[in-house]
Amino acid sequence: MHTLDLLDQALATAKDLGYQIRREWLDGQSGGVCEIAGQRWIFLDLSLSSLEQLDQVLEALRTDPSLAQAPLSPQLSQILGRTRRAA
């Protein structure tokens, strides 16, 4: 699966978990997850490659306890290290 497809899936999962997404040109200074006035945000640094942006989103998702209940594609599940239970 292509990096951009995985990035789109990761962003959709983050939105499903209640994150707001903000894409900003941060010139490599920062980015990632933060909370402002009780709302969780992921700031994506547009100066980074799509793979680096994907890493920013994955880092936020890995620390979210709600991820265990979120439906994920097999590829995203594998990248996040989540194993699926047998039905």
Short mmCIF file of all heavy atoms in Angstrom, two decimals, residues 9-74:
data_model
loop_
_atom_site.label_atom_id
_atom_site.label_comp_id
_atom_site.label_asym_id
_atom_site.label_seq_id
_atom_site.Cartn_x
_atom_site.Cartn_y
_atom_site.Cartn_z
N GLN A 9 -5.66 6.84 5.59
CA GLN A 9 -6.31 5.92 6.54
C GLN A 9 -6.00 6.32 7.98
O GLN A 9 -6.90 6.29 8.84
CB GLN A 9 -5.84 4.50 6.30
CG GLN A 9 -6.40 3.87 5.07
CD GLN A 9 -5.94 2.43 4.92
OE1 GLN A 9 -5.51 1.79 5.87
NE2 GLN A 9 -6.05 1.91 3.70
N ALA A 10 -4.76 6.67 8.25
CA ALA A 10 -4.38 7.06 9.61
C ALA A 10 -5.10 8.35 10.02
O ALA A 10 -5.57 8.46 11.16
CB ALA A 10 -2.86 7.24 9.70
N LEU A 11 -5.20 9.30 9.11
CA LEU A 11 -5.92 10.54 9.41
C LEU A 11 -7.40 10.29 9.64
O LEU A 11 -8.00 10.87 10.55
CB LEU A 11 -5.71 11.56 8.29
CG LEU A 11 -4.32 12.17 8.21
CD1 LEU A 11 -4.16 12.98 6.93
CD2 LEU A 11 -4.05 13.04 9.44
N ALA A 12 -8.00 9.41 8.84
CA ALA A 12 -9.41 9.07 9.03
C ALA A 12 -9.62 8.41 10.39
O ALA A 12 -10.59 8.70 11.09
CB ALA A 12 -9.89 8.16 7.90
N THR A 13 -8.70 7.53 10.78
CA THR A 13 -8.79 6.88 12.09
C THR A 13 -8.67 7.92 13.19
O THR A 13 -9.42 7.89 14.17
CB THR A 13 -7.70 5.81 12.23
OG1 THR A 13 -7.90 4.82 11.21
CG2 THR A 13 -7.74 5.15 13.60
N ALA A 14 -7.73 8.84 13.05
CA ALA A 14 -7.56 9.90 14.06
C ALA A 14 -8.83 10.73 14.18
O ALA A 14 -9.27 11.03 15.31
CB ALA A 14 -6.36 10.77 13.69
N LYS A 15 -9.43 11.08 13.07
CA LYS A 15 -10.69 11.85 13.11
C LYS A 15 -11.78 11.04 13.80
O LYS A 15 -12.55 11.59 14.59
CB LYS A 15 -11.11 12.25 11.71
CG LYS A 15 -10.24 13.34 11.12
CD LYS A 15 -10.67 13.67 9.70
CE LYS A 15 -9.77 14.71 9.08
NZ LYS A 15 -10.12 14.99 7.68
N ASP A 16 -11.85 9.74 13.50
CA ASP A 16 -12.85 8.87 14.15
C ASP A 16 -12.64 8.82 15.66
O ASP A 16 -13.59 8.65 16.42
CB ASP A 16 -12.79 7.45 13.59
CG ASP A 16 -13.32 7.35 12.17
OD1 ASP A 16 -13.99 8.30 11.69
OD2 ASP A 16 -13.04 6.33 11.50
N LEU A 17 -11.39 8.97 16.10
CA LEU A 17 -11.08 8.95 17.53
C LEU A 17 -11.24 10.32 18.18
O LEU A 17 -10.97 10.49 19.36
CB LEU A 17 -9.65 8.43 17.75
CG LEU A 17 -9.42 6.97 17.39
CD1 LEU A 17 -7.95 6.60 17.55
CD2 LEU A 17 -10.30 6.05 18.22
N GLY A 18 -11.65 11.32 17.38
CA GLY A 18 -11.96 12.63 17.94
C GLY A 18 -10.89 13.69 17.77
O GLY A 18 -11.01 14.79 18.33
N TYR A 19 -9.86 13.41 17.00
CA TYR A 19 -8.81 14.40 16.78
C TYR A 19 -9.24 15.39 15.69
O TYR A 19 -9.89 15.01 14.72
CB TYR A 19 -7.52 13.73 16.31
CG TYR A 19 -6.81 12.96 17.38
CD1 TYR A 19 -7.08 11.61 17.58
CD2 TYR A 19 -5.86 13.56 18.20
CE1 TYR A 19 -6.44 10.88 18.55
CE2 TYR A 19 -5.20 12.85 19.18
CZ TYR A 19 -5.50 11.50 19.36
OH TYR A 19 -4.86 10.78 20.33
N GLN A 20 -8.84 16.62 15.86
CA GLN A 20 -8.92 17.63 14.81
C GLN A 20 -7.56 17.62 14.12
O GLN A 20 -6.53 17.44 14.77
CB GLN A 20 -9.18 19.02 15.39
CG GLN A 20 -10.51 19.13 16.10
CD GLN A 20 -11.68 18.97 15.15
OE1 GLN A 20 -11.67 19.49 14.04
NE2 GLN A 20 -12.69 18.24 15.59
N ILE A 21 -7.56 17.82 12.81
CA ILE A 21 -6.32 17.78 12.05
C ILE A 21 -6.04 19.17 11.52
O ILE A 21 -6.92 19.82 10.94
CB ILE A 21 -6.40 16.79 10.86
CG1 ILE A 21 -6.89 15.41 11.31
CG2 ILE A 21 -5.07 16.72 10.12
CD1 ILE A 21 -6.01 14.72 12.31
N ARG A 22 -4.81 19.62 11.72
CA ARG A 22 -4.39 20.92 11.19
C ARG A 22 -3.11 20.71 10.41
O ARG A 22 -2.14 20.16 10.93
CB ARG A 22 -4.17 21.89 12.35
CG ARG A 22 -3.73 23.26 11.96
CD ARG A 22 -4.92 24.18 11.86
NE ARG A 22 -4.48 25.47 11.38
CZ ARG A 22 -4.81 26.60 11.95
NH1 ARG A 22 -5.58 26.60 13.01
NH2 ARG A 22 -4.40 27.73 11.45
N ARG A 23 -3.11 21.13 9.16
CA ARG A 23 -1.93 21.02 8.30
C ARG A 23 -1.30 22.39 8.21
O ARG A 23 -1.93 23.33 7.73
CB ARG A 23 -2.32 20.50 6.92
CG ARG A 23 -2.89 19.09 6.98
CD ARG A 23 -3.45 18.68 5.63
NE ARG A 23 -4.18 17.44 5.74
CZ ARG A 23 -3.85 16.32 5.13
NH1 ARG A 23 -2.80 16.28 4.35
NH2 ARG A 23 -4.57 15.24 5.29
N GLU A 24 -0.06 22.50 8.66
CA GLU A 24 0.65 23.78 8.71
C GLU A 24 2.06 23.61 8.19
O GLU A 24 2.66 22.54 8.34
CB GLU A 24 0.73 24.30 10.16
CG GLU A 24 -0.58 24.65 10.79
CD GLU A 24 -1.12 25.97 10.30
OE1 GLU A 24 -0.34 26.83 9.85
OE2 GLU A 24 -2.35 26.14 10.39
N TRP A 25 2.61 24.67 7.64
CA TRP A 25 4.02 24.69 7.26
C TRP A 25 4.80 25.05 8.51
O TRP A 25 4.83 26.21 8.93
CB TRP A 25 4.26 25.70 6.14
CG TRP A 25 5.65 25.63 5.62
CD1 TRP A 25 6.72 26.34 6.07
CD2 TRP A 25 6.14 24.78 4.59
NE1 TRP A 25 7.84 25.98 5.37
CE2 TRP A 25 7.52 25.03 4.45
CE3 TRP A 25 5.55 23.83 3.77
CZ2 TRP A 25 8.31 24.37 3.53
CZ3 TRP A 25 6.34 23.18 2.85
CH2 TRP A 25 7.70 23.46 2.74
N LEU A 26 5.42 24.08 9.15
CA LEU A 26 6.14 24.29 10.41
C LEU A 26 7.65 24.25 10.21
O LEU A 26 8.40 24.32 11.18
CB LEU A 26 5.70 23.25 11.44
CG LEU A 26 4.20 23.25 11.76
CD1 LEU A 26 3.83 22.07 12.64
CD2 LEU A 26 3.79 24.56 12.40
N ASP A 27 8.08 24.09 8.98
CA ASP A 27 9.51 24.13 8.62
C ASP A 27 10.34 23.14 9.43
O ASP A 27 11.46 23.43 9.81
CB ASP A 27 10.04 25.55 8.76
CG ASP A 27 11.29 25.77 7.93
OD1 ASP A 27 11.49 25.04 6.95
OD2 ASP A 27 12.06 26.70 8.26
N GLY A 28 9.76 21.98 9.72
CA GLY A 28 10.49 20.94 10.43
C GLY A 28 10.69 21.19 11.91
O GLY A 28 11.39 20.45 12.58
N GLN A 29 10.06 22.22 12.44
CA GLN A 29 10.26 22.59 13.85
C GLN A 29 9.52 21.69 14.83
O GLN A 29 10.03 21.38 15.88
CB GLN A 29 9.82 24.05 14.08
CG GLN A 29 10.64 25.05 13.32
CD GLN A 29 12.10 25.03 13.72
OE1 GLN A 29 12.43 25.00 14.88
NE2 GLN A 29 12.97 24.99 12.72
N SER A 30 8.33 21.32 14.47
CA SER A 30 7.52 20.56 15.42
C SER A 30 6.32 19.99 14.68
O SER A 30 6.21 20.08 13.48
CB SER A 30 7.08 21.47 16.56
OG SER A 30 6.43 20.72 17.55
N GLY A 31 5.44 19.46 15.43
CA GLY A 31 4.23 18.86 14.92
C GLY A 31 3.83 17.77 15.88
O GLY A 31 4.44 17.60 16.93
N GLY A 32 2.79 17.06 15.55
CA GLY A 32 2.35 15.98 16.40
C GLY A 32 1.06 16.32 17.12
O GLY A 32 0.28 17.15 16.67
N VAL A 33 0.88 15.68 18.25
CA VAL A 33 -0.39 15.77 18.97
C VAL A 33 -0.29 16.76 20.13
O VAL A 33 0.76 16.90 20.76
CB VAL A 33 -0.83 14.37 19.47
CG1 VAL A 33 0.09 13.85 20.54
CG2 VAL A 33 -2.26 14.37 19.92
N CYS A 34 -1.41 17.46 20.37
CA CYS A 34 -1.51 18.32 21.55
C CYS A 34 -2.99 18.46 21.89
O CYS A 34 -3.87 18.05 21.13
CB CYS A 34 -0.86 19.68 21.33
SG CYS A 34 -1.72 20.73 20.17
N GLU A 35 -3.25 19.04 23.05
CA GLU A 35 -4.63 19.29 23.47
C GLU A 35 -4.79 20.77 23.73
O GLU A 35 -3.98 21.37 24.44
CB GLU A 35 -4.97 18.49 24.73
CG GLU A 35 -6.42 18.58 25.10
CD GLU A 35 -6.82 17.62 26.20
OE1 GLU A 35 -6.34 16.48 26.20
OE2 GLU A 35 -7.62 18.03 27.06
N ILE A 36 -5.82 21.37 23.14
CA ILE A 36 -6.12 22.78 23.30
C ILE A 36 -7.58 22.91 23.72
O ILE A 36 -8.47 22.46 23.00
CB ILE A 36 -5.87 23.57 22.00
CG1 ILE A 36 -4.41 23.41 21.55
CG2 ILE A 36 -6.23 25.04 22.18
CD1 ILE A 36 -4.13 23.95 20.16
N ALA A 37 -7.80 23.47 24.90
CA ALA A 37 -9.15 23.68 25.43
C ALA A 37 -9.98 22.40 25.39
O ALA A 37 -11.14 22.40 25.00
CB ALA A 37 -9.85 24.81 24.67
N GLY A 38 -9.36 21.29 25.76
CA GLY A 38 -10.06 20.02 25.84
C GLY A 38 -10.22 19.30 24.52
O GLY A 38 -10.78 18.22 24.47
N GLN A 39 -9.76 19.89 23.44
CA GLN A 39 -9.85 19.28 22.11
C GLN A 39 -8.48 18.75 21.70
O GLN A 39 -7.49 19.46 21.81
CB GLN A 39 -10.32 20.31 21.08
CG GLN A 39 -10.44 19.77 19.68
CD GLN A 39 -11.50 18.69 19.55
OE1 GLN A 39 -12.64 18.87 19.91
NE2 GLN A 39 -11.10 17.54 19.06
N ARG A 40 -8.45 17.51 21.23
CA ARG A 40 -7.19 16.91 20.78
C ARG A 40 -6.92 17.29 19.33
O ARG A 40 -7.82 17.22 18.50
CB ARG A 40 -7.23 15.40 20.93
CG ARG A 40 -7.37 14.97 22.39
CD ARG A 40 -7.41 13.50 22.54
NE ARG A 40 -8.55 12.95 21.81
CZ ARG A 40 -8.80 11.67 21.65
NH1 ARG A 40 -7.96 10.78 22.14
NH2 ARG A 40 -9.85 11.24 20.99
N TRP A 41 -5.68 17.69 19.07
CA TRP A 41 -5.27 18.12 17.75
C TRP A 41 -4.05 17.35 17.31
O TRP A 41 -3.19 17.00 18.12
CB TRP A 41 -4.89 19.60 17.77
CG TRP A 41 -6.06 20.52 17.88
CD1 TRP A 41 -6.69 20.90 19.04
CD2 TRP A 41 -6.74 21.17 16.83
NE1 TRP A 41 -7.72 21.74 18.75
CE2 TRP A 41 -7.77 21.93 17.40
CE3 TRP A 41 -6.58 21.19 15.45
CZ2 TRP A 41 -8.64 22.70 16.64
CZ3 TRP A 41 -7.43 21.96 14.69
CH2 TRP A 41 -8.46 22.71 15.28
N ILE A 42 -3.96 17.12 16.01
CA ILE A 42 -2.73 16.64 15.39
C ILE A 42 -2.31 17.70 14.40
O ILE A 42 -3.07 18.05 13.48
CB ILE A 42 -2.92 15.29 14.68
CG1 ILE A 42 -3.28 14.20 15.70
CG2 ILE A 42 -1.65 14.91 13.92
CD1 ILE A 42 -3.59 12.85 15.09
N PHE A 43 -1.12 18.24 14.60
CA PHE A 43 -0.55 19.21 13.69
C PHE A 43 0.41 18.49 12.76
O PHE A 43 1.38 17.89 13.22
CB PHE A 43 0.19 20.31 14.46
CG PHE A 43 -0.74 21.29 15.13
CD1 PHE A 43 -1.29 21.00 16.36
CD2 PHE A 43 -1.05 22.49 14.51
CE1 PHE A 43 -2.14 21.90 16.98
CE2 PHE A 43 -1.91 23.38 15.12
CZ PHE A 43 -2.46 23.10 16.35
N LEU A 44 0.11 18.54 11.47
CA LEU A 44 0.98 17.92 10.47
C LEU A 44 1.86 18.99 9.86
O LEU A 44 1.37 20.05 9.43
CB LEU A 44 0.16 17.26 9.37
CG LEU A 44 -0.52 15.97 9.70
CD1 LEU A 44 -1.23 15.43 8.47
CD2 LEU A 44 0.46 14.95 10.20
N ASP A 45 3.14 18.73 9.81
CA ASP A 45 4.10 19.66 9.24
C ASP A 45 4.19 19.42 7.74
O ASP A 45 4.71 18.40 7.30
CB ASP A 45 5.46 19.46 9.92
CG ASP A 45 6.46 20.50 9.51
OD1 ASP A 45 6.23 21.22 8.53
OD2 ASP A 45 7.51 20.58 10.18
N LEU A 46 3.68 20.35 6.95
CA LEU A 46 3.67 20.21 5.50
C LEU A 46 5.07 20.29 4.88
O LEU A 46 5.24 19.95 3.72
CB LEU A 46 2.77 21.27 4.88
CG LEU A 46 1.28 21.12 5.20
CD1 LEU A 46 0.48 22.26 4.59
CD2 LEU A 46 0.75 19.78 4.73
N SER A 47 6.06 20.71 5.66
CA SER A 47 7.42 20.74 5.12
C SER A 47 8.05 19.35 5.13
O SER A 47 9.10 19.14 4.54
CB SER A 47 8.30 21.71 5.91
OG SER A 47 8.58 21.22 7.21
N LEU A 48 7.39 18.39 5.78
CA LEU A 48 7.90 17.03 5.86
C LEU A 48 7.36 16.18 4.72
O LEU A 48 6.31 16.49 4.14
CB LEU A 48 7.51 16.40 7.20
CG LEU A 48 8.03 17.09 8.46
CD1 LEU A 48 7.50 16.38 9.69
CD2 LEU A 48 9.54 17.18 8.47
N SER A 49 8.03 15.08 4.45
CA SER A 49 7.56 14.15 3.43
C SER A 49 6.29 13.45 3.92
O SER A 49 5.97 13.48 5.11
CB SER A 49 8.63 13.10 3.13
OG SER A 49 8.77 12.21 4.24
N SER A 50 5.59 12.82 3.00
CA SER A 50 4.37 12.10 3.40
C SER A 50 4.68 10.98 4.39
O SER A 50 3.89 10.70 5.29
CB SER A 50 3.63 11.56 2.18
OG SER A 50 4.47 10.75 1.40
N LEU A 51 5.84 10.34 4.25
CA LEU A 51 6.23 9.29 5.21
C LEU A 51 6.45 9.88 6.60
O LEU A 51 6.01 9.30 7.60
CB LEU A 51 7.49 8.57 4.72
CG LEU A 51 7.99 7.43 5.59
CD1 LEU A 51 6.91 6.35 5.75
CD2 LEU A 51 9.25 6.82 5.01
N GLU A 52 7.08 11.03 6.67
CA GLU A 52 7.29 11.67 7.97
C GLU A 52 5.98 12.15 8.57
O GLU A 52 5.77 12.07 9.79
CB GLU A 52 8.28 12.83 7.82
CG GLU A 52 9.69 12.38 7.48
CD GLU A 52 10.59 13.50 7.04
OE1 GLU A 52 10.14 14.37 6.25
OE2 GLU A 52 11.75 13.51 7.47
N GLN A 53 5.07 12.63 7.74
CA GLN A 53 3.75 13.02 8.23
C GLN A 53 3.00 11.80 8.75
O GLN A 53 2.34 11.86 9.80
CB GLN A 53 2.94 13.70 7.13
CG GLN A 53 3.46 15.06 6.75
CD GLN A 53 2.68 15.68 5.63
OE1 GLN A 53 1.47 15.44 5.48
NE2 GLN A 53 3.32 16.49 4.81
N LEU A 54 3.11 10.69 8.04
CA LEU A 54 2.49 9.44 8.50
C LEU A 54 3.05 9.06 9.86
O LEU A 54 2.29 8.68 10.76
CB LEU A 54 2.73 8.33 7.48
CG LEU A 54 2.24 6.93 7.87
CD1 LEU A 54 0.74 6.92 8.11
CD2 LEU A 54 2.63 5.92 6.80
N ASP A 55 4.34 9.19 10.04
CA ASP A 55 4.95 8.89 11.34
C ASP A 55 4.38 9.77 12.45
O ASP A 55 4.16 9.30 13.57
CB ASP A 55 6.47 9.05 11.28
CG ASP A 55 7.16 7.93 10.55
OD1 ASP A 55 6.55 6.84 10.38
OD2 ASP A 55 8.32 8.13 10.12
N GLN A 56 4.12 11.05 12.15
CA GLN A 56 3.53 11.94 13.14
C GLN A 56 2.15 11.44 13.57
O GLN A 56 1.83 11.41 14.76
CB GLN A 56 3.38 13.37 12.59
CG GLN A 56 4.68 14.13 12.49
CD GLN A 56 4.46 15.55 11.97
OE1 GLN A 56 3.59 15.80 11.14
NE2 GLN A 56 5.25 16.47 12.50
N VAL A 57 1.35 11.05 12.61
CA VAL A 57 0.00 10.57 12.92
C VAL A 57 0.05 9.23 13.67
O VAL A 57 -0.66 9.03 14.66
CB VAL A 57 -0.86 10.45 11.65
CG1 VAL A 57 -2.25 9.92 11.98
CG2 VAL A 57 -0.95 11.79 10.93
N LEU A 58 0.91 8.33 13.21
CA LEU A 58 1.03 7.03 13.87
C LEU A 58 1.49 7.17 15.31
O LEU A 58 1.02 6.45 16.20
CB LEU A 58 1.99 6.12 13.09
CG LEU A 58 1.52 5.70 11.71
CD1 LEU A 58 2.61 4.88 11.02
CD2 LEU A 58 0.22 4.94 11.76
N GLU A 59 2.38 8.11 15.56
CA GLU A 59 2.85 8.34 16.94
C GLU A 59 1.69 8.76 17.83
O GLU A 59 1.56 8.29 18.96
CB GLU A 59 3.94 9.41 16.94
CG GLU A 59 4.53 9.66 18.31
CD GLU A 59 5.64 10.70 18.27
OE1 GLU A 59 6.34 10.79 17.25
OE2 GLU A 59 5.79 11.40 19.28
N ALA A 60 0.83 9.63 17.32
CA ALA A 60 -0.34 10.06 18.09
C ALA A 60 -1.29 8.89 18.33
O ALA A 60 -1.80 8.71 19.45
CB ALA A 60 -1.06 11.19 17.36
N LEU A 61 -1.54 8.09 17.30
CA LEU A 61 -2.46 6.97 17.44
C LEU A 61 -1.95 5.92 18.42
O LEU A 61 -2.72 5.35 19.18
CB LEU A 61 -2.72 6.33 16.07
CG LEU A 61 -3.49 7.17 15.06
CD1 LEU A 61 -3.58 6.44 13.73
CD2 LEU A 61 -4.87 7.53 15.58
N ARG A 62 -0.66 5.66 18.39
CA ARG A 62 -0.08 4.64 19.28
C ARG A 62 -0.29 4.98 20.76
O ARG A 62 -0.35 4.08 21.59
CB ARG A 62 1.40 4.48 19.01
CG ARG A 62 1.71 3.67 17.78
CD ARG A 62 3.21 3.41 17.63
NE ARG A 62 3.47 2.73 16.40
CZ ARG A 62 4.01 3.28 15.32
NH1 ARG A 62 4.39 4.55 15.35
NH2 ARG A 62 4.20 2.59 14.23
N THR A 63 -0.36 6.26 21.09
CA THR A 63 -0.50 6.65 22.49
C THR A 63 -1.96 6.79 22.92
O THR A 63 -2.23 7.07 24.07
CB THR A 63 0.23 7.99 22.75
OG1 THR A 63 -0.38 9.01 21.95
CG2 THR A 63 1.71 7.88 22.44
N ASP A 64 -2.89 6.58 21.99
CA ASP A 64 -4.31 6.75 22.31
C ASP A 64 -4.92 5.42 22.74
O ASP A 64 -4.95 4.47 21.97
CB ASP A 64 -5.04 7.28 21.08
CG ASP A 64 -6.44 7.75 21.42
OD1 ASP A 64 -7.18 7.03 22.10
OD2 ASP A 64 -6.79 8.86 21.00
N PRO A 65 -5.42 5.35 23.97
CA PRO A 65 -6.01 4.10 24.45
C PRO A 65 -7.26 3.68 23.67
O PRO A 65 -7.60 2.50 23.64
CB PRO A 65 -6.36 4.38 25.92
CG PRO A 65 -6.13 5.82 26.15
CD PRO A 65 -5.41 6.39 24.99
N SER A 66 -7.93 4.61 23.02
CA SER A 66 -9.13 4.29 22.23
C SER A 66 -8.80 3.51 20.97
O SER A 66 -9.70 2.95 20.34
CB SER A 66 -9.87 5.57 21.84
OG SER A 66 -10.20 6.31 22.97
N LEU A 67 -7.54 3.49 20.57
CA LEU A 67 -7.15 2.81 19.34
C LEU A 67 -7.52 1.33 19.38
O LEU A 67 -7.85 0.75 18.35
CB LEU A 67 -5.65 2.97 19.09
CG LEU A 67 -5.12 2.32 17.82
CD1 LEU A 67 -5.71 3.01 16.60
CD2 LEU A 67 -3.61 2.36 17.79
N ALA A 68 -7.50 0.73 20.55
CA ALA A 68 -7.79 -0.70 20.68
C ALA A 68 -9.18 -1.05 20.16
O ALA A 68 -9.41 -2.17 19.70
CB ALA A 68 -7.66 -1.14 22.14
N GLN A 69 -10.11 -0.10 20.19
CA GLN A 69 -11.48 -0.35 19.75
C GLN A 69 -11.76 0.13 18.33
O GLN A 69 -12.84 -0.11 17.80
CB GLN A 69 -12.46 0.32 20.71
CG GLN A 69 -12.28 -0.07 22.16
CD GLN A 69 -12.34 -1.58 22.36
OE1 GLN A 69 -13.17 -2.25 21.79
NE2 GLN A 69 -11.44 -2.11 23.16
N ALA A 70 -10.80 0.81 17.72
CA ALA A 70 -11.02 1.39 16.39
C ALA A 70 -10.84 0.34 15.30
O ALA A 70 -9.92 -0.47 15.35
CB ALA A 70 -10.04 2.53 16.16
N PRO A 71 -11.73 0.35 14.30
CA PRO A 71 -11.54 -0.56 13.16
C PRO A 71 -10.39 -0.06 12.29
O PRO A 71 -10.32 1.13 11.98
CB PRO A 71 -12.87 -0.48 12.42
CG PRO A 71 -13.46 0.83 12.81
CD PRO A 71 -12.95 1.13 14.19
N LEU A 72 -9.48 -0.97 11.94
CA LEU A 72 -8.32 -0.60 11.13
C LEU A 72 -8.19 -1.54 9.95
O LEU A 72 -8.57 -2.70 10.03
CB LEU A 72 -7.03 -0.70 11.97
CG LEU A 72 -6.92 0.15 13.21
CD1 LEU A 72 -5.62 -0.17 13.94
CD2 LEU A 72 -6.99 1.62 12.87
N SER A 73 -7.61 -1.02 8.88
CA SER A 73 -7.29 -1.89 7.75
C SER A 73 -6.18 -2.84 8.20
O SER A 73 -5.44 -2.53 9.15
CB SER A 73 -6.81 -1.06 6.56
OG SER A 73 -5.54 -0.50 6.83
N PRO A 74 -6.03 -3.97 7.54
CA PRO A 74 -4.94 -4.89 7.91
C PRO A 74 -3.56 -4.23 7.84
O PRO A 74 -2.72 -4.47 8.70
CB PRO A 74 -5.06 -6.03 6.90
CG PRO A 74 -6.48 -6.00 6.46
CD PRO A 74 -6.89 -4.55 6.51
#
